[in-house]
Amino acid sequence: MDNLANTRTRQHGLTAREAGLIACTTCGRLDRAGLVCARCGATLSSRYPDSIQRTLAWLAAGIVCFIPANLYPMLITRTLGREEKNTIIGGVIELVNYGSYFVAIVVGVASIVIPVAKFVVIGLLVASIRRAWPLDPHARLHLYEITEFIGRWSMIDVFVVAILVALVQLDFVASVNPGLAAVSFALSVIFTMLAAQSLDPRLIWDSIEEGPSDE
Amino acid sequence: MVAAIDPSRLIACPMCDLLHSARSAQDGERIRCARCRTVLESSRPKAIDRTLASAATNVILIIGALFFPFIKLEGAGSRQNATLVDALSAFGGGLTAPLVLVVAAFIVIIPLMRAGALCYTLWPLRFGRRPYRHAARAFRFANSLKPWSMAEIFIIGVVVALVKVAGMAEVSLGPAFWMLVAMVAVLVLENHNFCRWTIWRILGQDSTV
């Protein structure tokens, strides 16, 4: 256990749990006991129940869905008997070939960099809480907030596919259909968003005070 | 020591659980957690008025965005005006159905439910009346829907899609697209004027909520 980090955070005083109180994360009310918040009706818990386990479960589901999302086509285009299948990476490469570098970067970051970074960051946060790694809690909270904020933006490519499908359905020369990847990618984004929401940020601070937790 | 603590005069940081004595933020002030710097309370004059106004605006804009022309498509000798309703109901079989469901939920259904729930919660408070039944539940629901409302991401998606079909057809954007853009702008303002802790405090003054 890192004593230096310990004494530094100690200077700040008492947490709600140490004071025997439960803080409602929905409305901010404090209570001594109870299952449901008396003000807003949200379920009360000092720390989310099974936070780590739920986070890992959603994360695993997100990673599993990310595999077919990259192997199967996102978009299937048929033009006069010719069939073209585009994967996520294929779509980015096509944009580069068209010379739309900026759009290619936007799509590439949203559909490849952000999801992979999210898997790594959530995994890292969970490991650091479980093993009480003496990492700066401020930096970890920052990573957590960025992850929670940025995860939704991965949905761009799913929307692009939906718009193209709808657009081209109005025309009759070509037919465009979503591939399996469109749905599994959407699920992957939803699952990783749920993983981030299941992680209780208060555990980050607990781990530096109490050492490894087995939760 | 524990016995001396009065919970109603304290707030806990939602991010790190540290206790602070509760006080209202003064003009323009932001009270931050002493340990993790998370904003605990910010002074938001007329938070209820402004949040209610933007929620009502959003309801109107979403409904408008559904029925006004969203995209005009010219190419291969044909000319089409498509609304979002057309686009959402044009789905065929296979994987298109779940995809359309996801998109409709994220850009129409969830934003509409969220704005509706906010109006329901805030309308009576605006006139100093008692909150409606289940107002706390409605407000909780509105807050939990927030990350799932994705109009701003959809707009970027539209722009990317337009770049992709640029060679194939002449595409121009209709008023519905600009209504969605306006909705995103209103949401940004709403975020700025919104302090949920303040609204919870006002809601909580009535014990029958």
Side-chain angles (χ1 to χ4, degrees):
Chain A
M1 175 129 194
D2 192 327
N3 274 321
L4 212 140
N6 197 22
T7 45
R8 199 179 58 203
T9 52
R10 268 279 153 264
Q11 293 172 353
H12 286 301
L14 214 57
T15 65
R17 186 164 71 170
E18 288 162 342
L21 299 170
I22 304 173
C24 173
T25 47
T26 304
C27 76
R29 189 180 183 278
L30 286 155
D31 210 334
R32 288 192 197 285
L35 296 170
V36 172
C37 173
R39 175 157 67 186
C40 74
T43 312
L44 267 189
S45 58
S46 180
R47 302 292 178 265
Y48 303 159
D50 306 319
S51 168
I52 296 288
Q53 198 172 332
R54 285 182 199 201
T55 306
L56 284 176
W58 287 122
L59 182 67
I63 293 173
V64 166
C65 287
F66 193 64
I67 297 167
N70 278 283
L71 295 179
Y72 285 93
M74 198 81 177
L75 204 60
I76 303 164
T77 320
R78 290 190 195 83
T79 341
L80 305 169
R82 226 160 26 100
E83 194 178 77
E84 197 187 329
K85 291 178 176 176
N86 261 332
T87 56
I88 291 176
I89 294 182
V92 175
I93 292 171
E94 197 183 47
L95 281 167
V96 171
N97 290 339
Y98 282 145
S100 318
Y101 298 112
F102 181 69
V103 180
I105 289 171
V106 170
V107 175
V109 168
S111 14
I112 300 161
V113 179
I114 291 179
V116 172
K118 268 190 86 171
F119 297 147
V120 174
V121 168
I122 295 176
L124 180 89
L125 288 176
V126 167
S128 76
I129 290 168
R130 272 190 144 169
R131 312 240 160 109
W133 288 344
L135 297 173
D136 180 16
H138 296 90
R140 280 190 280 164
L141 185 68
H142 227 83
L143 273 179
Y144 171 79
E145 284 173 331
I146 294 170
T147 310
E148 224 195 355
F149 169 78
I150 219 163
R152 318 152 62 234
W153 286 91
S154 297
M155 275 293 180
I156 287 180
D157 221 17
V158 175
F159 289 148
V160 171
V161 169
I163 296 156
L164 286 178
V165 170
L167 258 185
V168 182
Q169 232 133 48
L170 300 163
D171 213 359
F172 14 86
V173 183
S175 93
V176 175
N177 281 300
L180 187 61
V183 174
S184 51
F185 188 75
L187 286 177
S188 173
V189 176
I190 291 171
F191 291 157
T192 23
M193 282 176 71
L194 290 169
Q197 287 180 11
S198 314
L199 189 62
D200 192 332
R202 293 173 293 191
L203 293 174
I204 295 173
W205 305 88
D206 293 343
S207 66
I208 54 165
E209 281 162 14
E210 296 153 13
S213 77
D214 288 322
E215 205 226 330
Chain B
M1 174 175 183
V2 171
I5 294 171
D6 175 9
S8 64
R9 298 179 61 189
L10 293 169
I11 47 171
C13 172
M15 288 293 174
C16 76
D17 212 29
L18 193 71
L19 287 173
H20 301 73
S21 54
R23 62 184 180 94
S24 299
Q26 303 304 308
D27 286 343
E29 188 194 8
R30 288 184 145 192
I31 301 174
R32 285 175 184 275
C33 170
R35 179 159 71 172
C36 73
R37 314 304 298 159
T38 301
V39 176
L40 296 177
E41 178 137 4
S42 44
S43 120
R44 290 284 173 256
K46 299 190 172 171
I48 290 185
D49 278 13
R50 290 179 180 174
T51 310
L52 183 61
S54 39
T57 313
N58 277 335
V59 172
I60 296 166
L61 286 174
I62 297 169
I63 293 171
L66 275 174
F67 297 106
F68 277 94
F70 192 83
I71 257 172
K72 282 174 234 154
L73 194 73
E74 281 174 68
S78 69
R79 197 170 183 200
Q80 299 256 14
N81 256 330
T83 66
L84 269 186
V85 172
D86 290 341
L88 292 175
S89 54
F91 62 83
L95 288 169
T96 322
L99 190 67
V100 163
L101 197 71
V102 166
V103 174
F106 286 156
I107 64 166
V108 179
I109 300 167
I110 289 176
L112 208 53
M113 288 199 300
R114 188 177 123 80
L118 281 178
C119 288
Y120 179 86
T121 314
L122 299 177
W123 180 259
L125 300 186
R126 165 68 183 79
F127 299 102
R129 283 193 235 126
R130 288 176 53 180
Y132 293 140
R133 286 187 65 201
H134 304 302
R137 183 177 294 179
F139 191 55
R140 220 154 21 96
F141 183 60
N143 282 325
S144 67
L145 287 180
K146 203 173 176 191
W148 305 99
S149 161
M150 301 192 180
E152 70 274 35
I153 301 163
F154 183 74
I155 285 172
I156 307 290
V158 172
V159 174
V160 172
L162 289 190
V163 170
K164 283 197 163 187
V165 296
M168 287 156 61
E170 190 86 11
V171 181
S172 56
L173 296 164
F177 174 80
W178 300 110
M179 285 180 159
L180 270 194
V181 174
M183 183 181 124
V184 171
V186 171
L187 280 175
V188 171
L189 282 178
E190 181 192 301
N191 252 343
H192 180 77
N193 289 316
F194 184 72
C195 178
R196 68 177 158 134
W197 313 112
T198 309
I199 294 175
W200 273 123
R201 238 199 350 255
I202 298 167
L203 266 179
Q205 283 165 3
D206 192 303
S207 56
T208 58
V209 178

